[in-house]
């Protein structure tokens, strides 16, 4: 590959027009870091309203460091993978203690919740440091450009692709180049039906020239998901609903609030099913049924369950499953 020509073609395309994303309008490392953490497991379009609201609530590292964890989790609620929010707050506390955002790749990489990709993205975009990113989009671009049949799910292939990304990186414009590679994968070099006719670097693509672009990247098949069901109860009285809090020592979503399950109220008569939805957690695909129910006369709430108004609940972190269930309820009211 003619690397200088490839770099120029890619950068010219990116500069001529790209998605208008709010984190591309700043060089503030805190804002860029926040966007990259959000984008780890979230599509850009879905992340935008959370990004803007989060910056309004916590405009800098000091504000985020001082905020109670429950407020941070509530602001994050709906994005999922809540360890990201907890790590954001811990990293902000590190910054607040140091009095600044770290300005080196090593310093950024040492922050809680920051991996190789995020460190490279923030270092290159905010500080112009020559570190190549490697995310799912970039993996796909490299696999097709080089017609590389390596399994991108393995460490060996990812290390090789990291070396390739580093060799291709434009050291004069590392931030723009990294964003261009990711933009290419997100908007043109798509997982299915890649838009090769409008690709700015099609002339450099070995898979395109061989007509095999649909065969890349190669990744081993995922395990068959486990199917499971769950039943949630919406029990209300005088403007309050029954909710429970997960144990602070729980392995997942510790401290989050949620609707009780049917086994929490074995004697509660069900009045009507509000509906159902699916929710996937790791390799388990849940079908969740939501029922209206009532507390039997003279029965007390079981341990761990309490009455709470919707207003109070809205200020607390709630599980995504509960958010979906309450939305289902609202659509029926």
């Amino acid at each position: 590959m003619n690397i200088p020509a490839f770099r120029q073609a890619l950068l010219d395309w990116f500069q001529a027009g790209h998605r208008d994303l709010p984190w591309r309008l700043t060089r503030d490392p805190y804002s860029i870091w926040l966007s990259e953490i959000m984008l780890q497991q979230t599509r850009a379009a879905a992340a935008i309203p959370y990004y803007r609201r989060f910056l309004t609530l916590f405009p800098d590292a000091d504000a985020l460091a001082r905020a109670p964890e429950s407020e941070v989790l509530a602001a994050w609620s709906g994005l999922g993978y809540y360890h990201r929010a907890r790590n954001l707050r811990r990293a902000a506390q590190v910054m607040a203690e140091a009095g600044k955002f770290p300005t080196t790749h090593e310093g950024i990489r040492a922050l809680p919740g920051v991996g190789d990709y995020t460190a490279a993205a923030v270092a290159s975009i905010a500080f112009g440091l020559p570190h190549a990113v490697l995310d799912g989009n970039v993996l796909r671009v490299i696999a097709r450009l080089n017609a590389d049949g390596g399994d991108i799910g393995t460490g060996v292939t990812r290390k090789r692709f990291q070396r390739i990304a580093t060799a291709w990186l434009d050291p004069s414009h590392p931030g723009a180049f990294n964003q261009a590679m990711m933009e290419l994968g997100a908007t043109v070099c798509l997982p299915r039906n890649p838009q090769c006719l409008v690709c700015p670097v099609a002339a450099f693509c070995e898979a395109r020239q061989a007509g095999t672009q649909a065969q890349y990247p190669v990744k081993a098949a995922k395990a068959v998901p486990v199917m499971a069901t769950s039943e949630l109860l919406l029990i209300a009285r005088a403007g309050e609903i029954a909710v429970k809090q997960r144990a602070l020592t729980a392995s997942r979503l510790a401290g989050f609030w949620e609707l009780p399950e049917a086994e929490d109220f074995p004697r509660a008569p069900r009045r009507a099913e509000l509906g159902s939805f699916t929710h996937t957690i790791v390799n388990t695909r849940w079908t969740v049924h939501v029922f209206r129910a009532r507390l039997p006369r003279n029965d007390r709430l079981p341990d761990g369950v309490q009455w709470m108004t919707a207003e109070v609940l809205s200020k607390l972190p709630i599980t995504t499953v509960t958010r979906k269930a309450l939305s289902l309820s609202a659509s029926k009211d």
Side-chain angles (χ1 to χ4, degrees):
M1 176 189 288
N2 182 334
I3 293 179
F6 166 76
R7 290 170 175 166
Q8 194 62 55
L10 183 65
L11 286 171
D12 286 348
W13 166 79
F14 183 70
Q15 296 299 340
H18 50 70
R19 289 176 297 172
D20 183 18
L21 301 174
W23 43 85
R24 288 180 174 164
L25 304 176
T26 180
R27 293 293 298 274
D28 172 43
Y30 172 82
S31 300
I32 293 169
W33 162 71
L34 172 62
S35 72
E36 291 298 339
I37 297 297
M38 286 188 171
L39 293 170
Q40 285 174 1
Q41 303 285 349
T42 307
R43 294 179 297 104
I48 288 174
Y50 285 91
Y51 171 80
R52 288 175 170 154
R53 183 166 65 250
F54 211 89
L55 281 179
T56 298
L57 294 171
F58 316 112
D60 52 39
D62 286 343
L64 181 54
R66 292 193 304 268
E69 183 179 272
S70 60
E71 290 185 12
V72 177
L73 292 174
W76 193 271
S77 186
L79 277 175
Y81 300 93
Y82 291 94
H83 62 277
R84 295 183 295 170
R86 290 188 170 95
N87 281 331
L88 274 173
R89 182 170 172 270
R90 283 194 280 265
Q93 290 171 340
V94 171
M95 296 178 213
E97 185 174 350
K100 63 176 183 178
F101 194 99
T103 57
T104 66
H105 176 268
E106 294 75 16
I108 299 169
R109 180 65 178 82
L111 291 173
V114 172
D116 292 337
Y117 160 77
T118 302
V122 176
S124 63
I125 298 170
F127 301 109
L129 300 176
H131 294 273
V133 299
L134 189 69
D135 69 349
N137 288 318
V138 177
L139 283 166
R140 185 166 58 256
V141 169
I142 293 174
R144 287 175 174 159
L145 285 169
N146 282 359
D148 192 312
D151 181 355
I152 61 170
T154 68
V156 172
T157 298
R158 295 179 74 93
K159 287 180 181 179
R160 182 170 73 255
F161 279 29
Q162 182 68 67
R163 292 194 294 270
I164 294 170
T166 299
W168 290 356
L169 181 70
D170 187 336
S172 300
H173 307 91
F177 183 88
N178 278 334
Q179 291 181 86
M181 285 285 283
M182 293 186 285
E183 186 80 354
L184 185 68
T187 63
V188 176
C189 196
L190 303 172
R192 297 180 180 84
N193 300 317
Q195 307 299 299
C196 299
L197 293 178
V198 296
C199 178
V201 293
F204 304 92
C205 184
E206 294 183 20
R208 168 62 175 167
Q209 292 164 17
T212 58
Q213 60 270 28
Q215 299 178 20
Y216 302 96
V218 173
K219 188 173 183 180
K222 293 183 178 179
V224 177
V226 176
M227 311 302 289
T229 60
S230 176
E231 296 181 354
L232 300 182
L233 301 183
L234 182 63
I235 303 175
R237 68 156 197 191
E240 297 178 315
I241 60 174
V243 292
K244 64 179 183 178
Q245 186 179 30
R246 291 200 174 193
L248 298 178
T249 56
S251 58
R252 293 188 62 258
L253 303 175
F256 273 60
W257 292 85
E258 58 189 352
L259 290 178
E261 296 178 273
E263 50 264 37
D264 293 317
F265 289 88
R267 297 185 341 106
R270 300 177 188 181
R271 297 169 56 188
E273 181 173 358
L274 294 169
S276 63
F277 56 88
T278 59
H279 184 74
T280 301
I281 302 175
V282 190
N283 196 44
T284 302
R285 184 173 299 164
W286 291 87
T287 298
V288 182
H289 299 272
V290 185
F291 295 89
R292 286 195 187 277
R294 65 179 178 83
L295 189 64
R297 182 173 296 181
N298 299 324
D299 273 17
R300 296 181 178 180
L301 293 179
D303 290 343
V305 181
Q306 67 182 69
W307 297 110
M308 188 176 292
T309 65
E311 181 181 0
V312 172
L313 189 61
S314 69
K315 299 176 183 178
L316 298 174
I318 63 175
T319 66
T320 299
V321 167
T322 295
R323 184 179 298 277
K324 290 181 178 180
L326 293 175
S327 295
L328 190 63
S329 169
S331 69
K332 300 291 185 179
D333 293 337

